[in-house]
Amino acid sequence: MRSDGVEIIKTTTWSPGPGCHGGCGILVHVKNDKVIKVEGDPDHPWNQGRLCSRCLSMTQYMYHKDRLTRPLKRVGERGEGKFEEISWDEALDLIETRMKQIREDHGPESVIFHQGTGRDIGGWISMLAYAYGSPNWMFGLSGVSCYTPRLMMMSITQGDFAVVDASQWHEKRYDDPEYEIPETVTIWGQNLPATCPDGFFGHWYVDLMKRGTQLLVIDPRCTWIASRAKLWLQLRPGTDAALGLGFIHVMIREDLINTSFVEKWTNAPFLVRVDSTPHTLLRESDIDPTGSDENFIAWNPDTGSAMVWDVDAQLYKDSSTLPSLEGEFDVRLADGSIISAKTVWTLYKENAAGYTPQVVSKITWVPEEKIVEGARMYAQSSPSALHWGLPIDTIPSTIPTSQALNHLWVLTGNLDNPGGNAIARYAYDVVTYPYHSGGAVLSLPPETAEKRIGMHDYGPIRDFRAWAQPDKMLEQIFSKDPYEIKGMWIQTANPLACTGMEPQKWHKAIKKLDFTVCVDLFMTPTAMLCDVILPAASFLEKDSLKAWWVPLNAIKKVTQVGECRSDIEINLELCKRFMKDFPYQNTQELFDRLLSSAGLTYDELCDNTWMMPPEGHPSKPYFRYEKGLLRQDGRPGFRTPSGKIELFSSWLEKWELEPLPYHEEPPYSPVSTPDLFKKYPLILCTGRRMGPYYHSEHRQIPWLREQQKDPVLEIHPDTAQKYGISHGEPVCVENWLGKITVKALVTPVIHPDIVMAEHGWWFPEKEGKEPCLFGVWDVNVNQLIPMSHEGKGGLGAPIKSMLCKVYKPKG
Amino acid sequence: MSEYGMLIDYEYCTGCRTCEVSCKQEYQRPAGRVGGVEVTEYTHTLPNGKLFITNIPHFTRACVFCAGRVKKGLDPACVKHCMARILTYGKVEELVKMLPAKRKAMIWTKGSS
């Protein structure tokens, strides 16, 4: 403690608070048990002393007059805004009684556990859902359109996730001798300085620019970072797959492929049956009745016959010959018949052949010469890294789009190399927030797990991530088919203002349920509808830990506000009530268990605050596929069914989806719905980031709100003039689903045929009770976006590519 | 007598306005009142047709260049927290030597007192 009575505590940011995905090291100044200041920690490698405005506003956030500090119980009608304060014991008893009653009458699957974006919640809400017995842990964004599609596609392509290597694995960062500055970073659909998404610190790109990295930016808007790019491609929203395939076309045509990498590490030489559709990978069992259906087939050019890729041995059986990379061959099947098969690489080239710059330019609006220039810039740079954003998830064609983009770093060999796309795992393999199935604190018996909503509709929902499919869930609330939904536990989420498309439907659905609980820090439009509201602690008021991706961080409780409790403590207490023999008595025991893979206790982690995985650990780059650090069996290769990077995806084949990438038009567009386009002649894009706010949060924080008072619609000057709209004046945005009125921001940064609306808006200062609900219906752009338009595979939704018209409000 | 000032390498200013809030926190200035620094964004269409966004932080009359912090050997609050690390506080004669060669930048002087 200092002589002035101020104690300075080192900790790490996450939620609740700045709202973001966290990771910054901070120094918290505490006096008389009150936080008086928050500063960046210069010793933390993540932010190196910096800190954004949301975190610097923490004192206004924590001690806000509207902060919920005691549990509330609804006493009036739903939405009437009548609540009374109750004690924690009363609140927990009430929740326990009501939820156990639902479980008894309707089964545990009839309660949904609804979380929001990547906050400090995934581990704890899944724990609660499973302790209660429900498989319906859910993130509410239509098509699970936030990182999950990209994570899924990366997982099935190379068995692991990969992110841009901005030196975040090194304590010395850019100065580490092992690190290389990327020659080019391609930023595909993200305004990085305005956001810190998906375990990434946006301003690392400014650090890299200063060190010589050049940028290729792909965005319908000219963001600040796009204006600094060597090349900026302004594409039509939702056509990213076509552009990616255009790049691949040029790279193949101009011989810019890293062929030795592709030949050695991908399934490019594997044979695919082309005698029937759909095309399928040939298996050993196809040619040999005693062969395994997990082994694949390639062509031996020496013997002129098939050779078998043994997935267990990770070798070709009985052969040291390199298989043919290209060609079409006659293969004798087990029944004696002869069929025609092509290598994956031959099919891959045929698939890309159709995406000429001319074709792609027509689809994407990007000029032909710029497509060629972009492909060359990406492929000829070394190292070259590709950063992609949420727009890759928020389109129904997210699966082929993510696949095409993932292939770019595979085709150039920019995988797990310094300054390329490094494989990202949880530091020390400590799973605090499971991104895919498995890794949860508890598990469910198979007969309950089988009841998860959407898993029988979609392969990726079944096999990749243990979330219920939100579009199917919302439908089921109304259809009651195959079972009734009776309750919802909402934590770190605000579906009425933010995650819910067609929010009126969510409004109706939530009001229809027998029992709803909301855990939050402030009253929100969603909380207003709930039966019990529990006051959550901010990240400065709780103990936790974070491993997304590196380093492994401790989050330490520095003070207490009101009677607020952490999401973890709340859930742990209820777990004990819902589950007989719940194995953890307190958070310390739970954290110690989670940290066992690192050989640490929580106290030891707290002593260090943060820890970087050491050299040679599977969670530390580089070139782990060569060193045998990625696979369980220790062999070189990848964690995929074949052990190779699967350009032709065996998982997609299994799910009856196209195994190779392709372009698919957005469901509403000038091309797919030309008649609708006549009536609604502008492309409505939403969800661009706002510096002071994270999604629907922070509108009540004075230092942040003064930066932007009202929601805006970005509109090009020519378009504004055409429709008689003036800068700063109200503008109506309308389509067949709904209408909002916001302020016009007339700016040339947006394409004349596109308008960009902000998401997540509501007004904490307005009346909370119905019908006003903090003014959410006036401004929530999700009212113009439908539910139940999820892409094939249950992933992706048309959030970035709707149609609308704009006009000046009458009167 | 040495004059102190702020080197602003504004071509890398992303307009995140962290400087504004760091100042408000340091001095507990309420929202709605002027702080020590404000950022202005300009969107220009250059003669070659290229769009270019420039953000310029400027130091208001309310700025004291964090005299109290500097006395303790600390950086001014905005310099410490700037996400793009574009601010350097120091003696003007030193700052002049640090001006980047290949891009526009400015030095904001404090004025001797």
Side-chain angles (χ1 to χ4, degrees):
Chain A
M1 191 174 304
R2 294 194 319 211
S3 58
D4 56 2
V6 175
E7 192 185 356
I8 296 178
I9 300 167
K10 250 179 208 263
T11 183
T12 318
T13 64
W14 202 358
S15 68
C20 63
H21 299 166
C24 289
I26 55 169
L27 302 173
V28 190
H29 297 231
V30 185
K31 190 172 182 178
N32 301 328
D33 277 335
K34 208 175 164 193
V35 175
I36 56 163
K37 184 155 78 172
V38 177
E39 294 202 310
D41 178 359
D43 297 329
H44 198 289
W46 184 274
N47 52 316
Q48 299 176 307
R50 298 172 270 192
L51 205 59
C52 80
S53 48
R54 291 190 310 274
C55 221
L56 293 167
S57 301
M58 273 310 291
T59 51
Q60 288 197 336
Y61 185 98
M62 291 170 73
Y63 303 113
H64 197 284
K65 66 175 175 48
D66 295 340
R67 181 89 192 267
L68 299 170
T69 54
R70 294 199 72 198
L72 297 176
K73 182 175 87 170
R74 177 174 63 83
V75 289
E77 293 299 311
R78 284 207 174 118
E80 208 184 6
K82 290 185 180 158
F83 295 93
E84 70 177 27
E85 288 190 347
I86 53 174
S87 71
W88 272 102
D89 284 343
E90 219 177 325
L92 294 168
D93 288 347
L94 175 63
I95 291 166
E96 183 185 354
T97 310
R98 294 292 307 272
M99 284 179 65
K100 278 184 170 169
Q101 192 63 52
I102 293 177
R103 183 164 70 179
E104 205 168 294
D105 296 344
H106 305 277
E109 64 277 10
S110 64
V111 176
I112 307 297
F113 293 80
H114 179 349
Q115 70 160 95
T117 181
R119 301 193 166 109
D120 184 11
I121 193 59
W124 330 123
I125 193 170
S126 52
M127 178 178 82
L128 177 63
Y130 296 172
Y132 178 74
S134 173
N136 287 319
W137 164 32
M138 183 194 75
F139 166 60
L141 192 64
S142 177
V144 207
S145 302
C146 181
Y147 211 21
T148 294
R150 282 175 288 155
L151 289 172
M152 186 283 288
M153 205 57 235
M154 289 192 283
S155 183
I156 65 170
T157 300
Q158 71 249 308
D160 264 292
F161 315 137
V163 303
V164 169
D165 176 20
S167 75
Q168 61 268 46
W169 282 273
H170 306 292
E171 291 184 26
K172 286 192 232 159
R173 297 297 309 263
Y174 311 101
D175 300 328
D176 190 290
E178 240 199 315
Y179 182 65
E180 271 187 66
I181 303 292
E183 184 180 351
T184 294
V185 171
T186 300
I187 299 178
W188 202 305
Q190 200 155 60
N191 181 15
L192 273 145
T195 180
C196 289
D198 313 333
F200 210 88
F201 184 84
H203 277 76
W204 287 341
Y205 286 127
V206 179
D207 300 347
L208 288 175
M209 286 159 72
K210 289 181 184 173
R211 287 163 174 82
T213 295
Q214 57 184 9
L215 301 174
L216 163 58
V217 173
I218 293 153
D219 202 308
R221 299 167 59 240
C222 184
T223 58
W224 176 84
I225 208 155
S227 86
R228 292 297 188 278
K230 188 174 173 199
L231 183 64
W232 165 49
L233 308 184
Q234 189 173 29
L235 91 170
R236 176 164 69 96
T239 63
D240 307 72
L243 188 59
L245 284 155
F247 275 26
I248 292 168
H249 174 98
V250 173
M251 284 156 55
I252 291 172
R253 193 178 70 187
E254 301 192 358
D255 202 15
L256 302 175
I257 303 289
N258 184 339
T259 312
S260 59
F261 183 90
V262 168
E263 196 165 16
K264 184 165 183 195
W265 296 111
T266 77
N267 69 351
F270 289 6
L271 292 180
V272 178
R273 293 182 67 156
V274 294
D275 58 313
S276 58
T277 46
H279 296 165
T280 52
L281 284 159
L282 262 177
R283 312 273 178 158
E284 188 185 19
S285 52
D286 291 329
I287 63 164
D288 173 359
T290 63
S292 160
D293 60 3
E294 288 179 0
N295 289 341
F296 296 89
I297 303 299
W299 191 256
N300 186 329
D302 292 350
T303 60
S305 61
M307 59 200 269
V308 175
W309 172 253
D310 183 334
V311 297
D312 290 333
Q314 287 291 298
L315 289 168
Y316 287 103
K317 278 187 188 174
D318 312 319
S319 176
S320 54
T321 308
L322 274 183
S324 300
L325 184 60
E326 293 189 51
E328 181 167 3
F329 308 98
D330 290 336
V331 181
R332 182 180 299 274
L333 298 186
D335 65 5
S337 61
I338 306 261
I339 56 103
S340 189
K342 289 181 184 177
T343 68
V344 164
W345 191 237
T346 293
L347 275 176
Y348 196 86
K349 288 168 85 168
E350 288 173 9
N351 183 59
Y355 293 92
T356 62
Q358 196 183 7
V359 168
V360 170
S361 176
K362 213 174 148 200
I363 297 171
T364 60
W365 298 349
V366 179
E368 284 179 48
E369 66 281 4
K370 286 199 174 183
I371 297 167
V372 176
E373 204 185 328
R376 287 178 187 159
M377 188 173 163
Y378 174 73
Q380 289 176 334
S381 300
S382 180
S384 194
L386 189 143
H387 185 109
W388 50 3
L390 193 82
I392 308 306
D393 303 317
T394 45
I395 46 174
S397 62
T398 182
I399 289 180
T401 305
S402 310
Q403 190 185 23
L405 269 51
N406 189 149
H407 285 181
L408 290 174
W409 66 71
V410 171
L411 296 174
T412 54
N414 279 295
L415 179 61
D416 216 30
N417 55 329
N421 282 65
I423 283 175
R425 289 187 170 179
Y426 312 99
Y428 293 91
D429 298 329
V430 173
V431 186
T432 58
Y433 189 139
Y435 300 134
H436 43 57
S437 302
V441 173
L442 303 170
S443 55
L444 285 172
E447 64 276 15
T448 317
E450 279 292 307
K451 290 184 179 163
R452 180 159 55 91
I453 296 169
M455 73 179 290
H456 301 292
D457 301 291
Y458 299 115
I461 300 292
R462 182 182 64 232
D463 294 326
F464 175 65
R465 192 166 187 170
W467 275 343
Q469 209 288 343
D471 301 88
K472 294 285 175 201
M473 191 290 301
L474 195 63
E475 289 163 24
Q476 191 170 327
I477 287 183
F478 298 104
S479 72
K480 304 176 185 174
D481 180 31
Y483 53 82
E484 272 196 87
I485 309 293
K486 287 290 180 186
M488 196 180 286
W489 172 275
I490 304 168
Q491 196 169 20
T492 71
N494 187 357
L496 246 61
C498 197
T499 42
M501 300 303 127
E502 278 190 86
Q504 274 93 351
K505 231 180 226 181
W506 285 88
H507 175 248
K508 214 169 139 190
I510 291 169
K511 285 183 86 169
K512 206 170 150 354
L513 299 173
D514 286 359
F515 187 63
T516 49
V517 181
C518 188
V519 188
D520 215 314
L521 291 92
F522 292 95
M523 189 58 87
T524 68
T526 301
M528 193 49 84
L529 304 179
C530 291
D531 299 324
V532 179
I533 303 167
L534 300 178
S538 79
F539 79 96
L540 292 174
E541 303 151 37
K542 72 171 185 185
D543 288 326
S544 187
L545 66 171
K546 178 173 191 288
W548 184 356
W549 312 98
V550 280
L552 178 59
N553 290 296
I555 295 169
K556 305 171 201 168
K557 179 169 179 168
V558 301
T559 190
Q560 172 80 35
V561 172
E563 293 181 18
C564 299
R565 291 189 188 176
S566 82
D567 292 293
I568 312 168
E569 289 173 304
I570 294 169
N571 292 14
L572 193 132
E573 173 59 30
L574 283 167
C575 284
K576 288 194 245 175
R577 293 175 181 233
F578 288 142
M579 182 181 167
K580 206 171 146 254
D581 305 324
F582 177 74
Y584 309 103
Q585 283 313 301
N586 52 51
T587 52
Q588 178 96 19
E589 284 180 23
L590 176 62
F591 298 159
D592 284 347
R593 206 285 271 158
L594 290 168
L595 285 166
S596 60
S597 71
L600 284 172
T601 64
Y602 184 64
D603 284 341
E604 286 165 342
L605 177 63
C606 284
D607 289 343
N608 289 283
T609 308
W610 59 269
M611 296 172 76
M612 205 64 96
E615 210 59 52
H617 194 276
S619 62
K620 166 116 180 172
Y622 296 102
F623 300 113
R624 280 161 284 181
Y625 55 91
E626 289 178 350
K627 300 172 186 161
L629 285 169
L630 299 178
R631 294 169 54 87
Q632 202 96 65
D633 62 12
R635 294 184 203 280
F638 298 88
R639 245 185 338 189
T640 56
S642 60
K644 300 281 194 186
I645 301 167
E646 301 201 341
L647 291 175
F648 188 104
S649 171
S650 68
W651 272 107
L652 292 179
E653 179 187 290
K654 183 178 162 193
W655 294 331
E656 297 177 3
L657 298 167
E658 286 292 325
L660 289 175
Y662 62 97
H663 163 68
E664 181 184 302
E665 262 299 309
Y668 302 103
S669 83
V671 181
S672 26
T673 52
D675 288 341
L676 213 48
F677 183 63
K678 277 183 207 144
K679 213 168 154 196
Y680 302 102
L682 292 167
I683 293 177
L684 172 65
C685 199
T686 70
R688 74 119 161 90
R689 297 304 187 240
M690 303 155 274
Y693 309 123
Y694 209 82
H695 295 311
S696 62
E697 288 193 74
H698 304 117
R699 304 309 190 283
Q700 60 278 83
I701 309 302
W703 287 332
L704 301 175
R705 187 68 182 277
E706 74 171 333
Q707 293 187 11
Q708 188 188 338
K709 194 166 174 297
D710 294 305
V712 297
L713 180 83
E714 285 183 350
I715 182 166
H716 191 275
D718 296 348
T719 316
Q721 195 184 20
K722 186 173 164 189
Y723 295 107
I725 289 155
S726 315
H727 182 69
E729 295 297 314
V731 54
C732 294
V733 191
E734 185 179 327
N735 70 10
W736 60 99
L737 292 167
K739 181 186 109 172
I740 55 167
T741 307
V742 292
K743 268 192 184 164
L745 197 168
V746 177
T747 168
V749 305
I750 188 87
H751 191 284
D753 295 323
I754 306 170
V755 289
M756 169 60 87
E758 292 178 327
H759 72 295
W761 274 92
W762 56 290
F763 303 98
E765 68 275 18
K766 289 194 178 172
E767 187 170 66
K769 67 180 184 188
E770 299 216 74
C772 182
L773 286 178
F774 301 105
V776 71
W777 305 124
D778 300 332
V779 290
N780 182 356
V781 71
N782 293 351
Q783 293 169 104
L784 282 71
I785 305 170
M787 288 293 291
S788 296
H789 280 57
E790 68 268 29
K792 301 184 180 84
L795 301 176
I799 298 169
K800 296 274 178 199
S801 53
M802 287 298 294
L803 297 175
C804 72
K805 65 178 178 183
V806 299
Y807 57 92
K808 220 171 149 161
K810 293 169 189 89
Chain B
M1 183 167 64
S2 274
E3 200 180 329
Y4 282 80
M6 189 76 82
L7 170 61
I8 308 169
D9 191 3
Y10 66 88
E11 286 221 358
Y12 284 119
C13 176
T14 62
C16 72
R17 299 166 85 173
T18 284
C19 51
E20 295 182 12
V21 180
S22 67
C23 181
K24 297 227 158 164
Q25 182 190 227
E26 187 69 25
Y27 298 99
Q28 288 298 308
R29 287 214 170 93
R33 302 269 179 84
V34 69
V37 57
E38 283 181 359
V39 181
T40 310
E41 182 189 83
Y42 301 91
T43 304
H44 296 131
T45 305
L46 302 180
N48 63 3
K50 190 177 149 55
L51 277 170
F52 202 77
I53 297 171
T54 305
N55 296 296
I56 301 201
H58 63 270
F59 294 86
T60 70
R61 288 290 284 192
C63 171
V64 294
F65 280 69
C66 278
R69 284 181 65 101
V70 170
K71 219 171 171 178
K72 284 188 224 162
L74 301 170
D75 275 330
C78 57
V79 174
K80 172 172 170 45
H81 287 112
C82 173
M83 297 280 277
R85 295 208 184 289
I86 62 150
L87 301 173
T88 313
Y89 179 73
K91 286 182 184 168
V92 171
E93 63 210 53
E94 296 299 319
L95 297 179
V96 168
K97 291 180 205 157
M98 294 164 71
L99 281 169
K102 291 186 181 168
R103 54 182 181 269
K104 295 188 170 90
M106 63 168 106
I107 294 173
W108 199 285
T109 56
K110 182 186 174 202
S112 44
S113 53

